């Protein structure tokens, strides 16, 4: 079955979490410029990786009432509606 938009967002969220944890371990999140660099790099990486591995997806259609919940292996929770 093809993945929904919500499934793609869950995947991207887990990818961003890994980037931010790496930045935290390096101690660069306290510097606002370095924090912005890591967040930007993480978002660009997830867009690229998501498109190359999952393909382009239609935007979320709120009329369908699509919802989702995800918990990463590190305990972060993501609720989507």
């Amino acid at each position: 079955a093809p993945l929904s938009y919500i499934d793609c967002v869950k995947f991207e969220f887990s990818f961003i979490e890994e980037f931010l944890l790496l930045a935290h371990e390096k101690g660069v999140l306290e510097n606002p410029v370095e924090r912005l660099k890591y967040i930007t790099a993480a978002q660009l990486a997830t867009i690229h990786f998501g498109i190359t591995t999952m393909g382009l997806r239609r935007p979320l259609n709120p009329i369908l009432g699509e919802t989702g919940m995800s918990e990463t292996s590190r305990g972060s929770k993501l609720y989507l509606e």
Side-chain angles (χ1 to χ4, degrees):
L3 295 174
S4 70
Y5 182 75
I6 295 271
D7 292 326
C8 293
V9 171
K10 289 179 194 177
F11 169 77
E12 291 176 359
F13 175 75
S14 65
F15 206 75
I16 287 175
E17 179 188 37
E18 292 297 323
F19 256 88
L20 293 179
L21 288 171
L22 176 66
H24 177 69
E25 290 170 6
K26 290 185 173 191
V28 298
L29 291 180
E30 289 73 30
N31 180 333
V33 174
E34 291 299 313
R35 183 172 52 235
L36 181 60
K37 287 179 185 178
Y38 269 82
I39 292 171
T40 302
Q43 186 60 46
L44 290 173
T46 59
I47 290 170
H48 171 73
F49 195 67
I51 289 172
T52 57
T53 59
M54 298 183 182
L56 292 171
R57 299 287 180 246
R58 292 190 321 251
L60 178 66
N61 184 349
I63 295 172
L64 297 177
E66 190 177 19
T67 63
M69 185 274 189
S70 180
E71 185 171 351
T72 67
S73 60
R74 297 182 186 256
S76 296
K77 294 182 181 179
L78 176 67
Y79 298 94
L80 302 159
E81 190 173 315

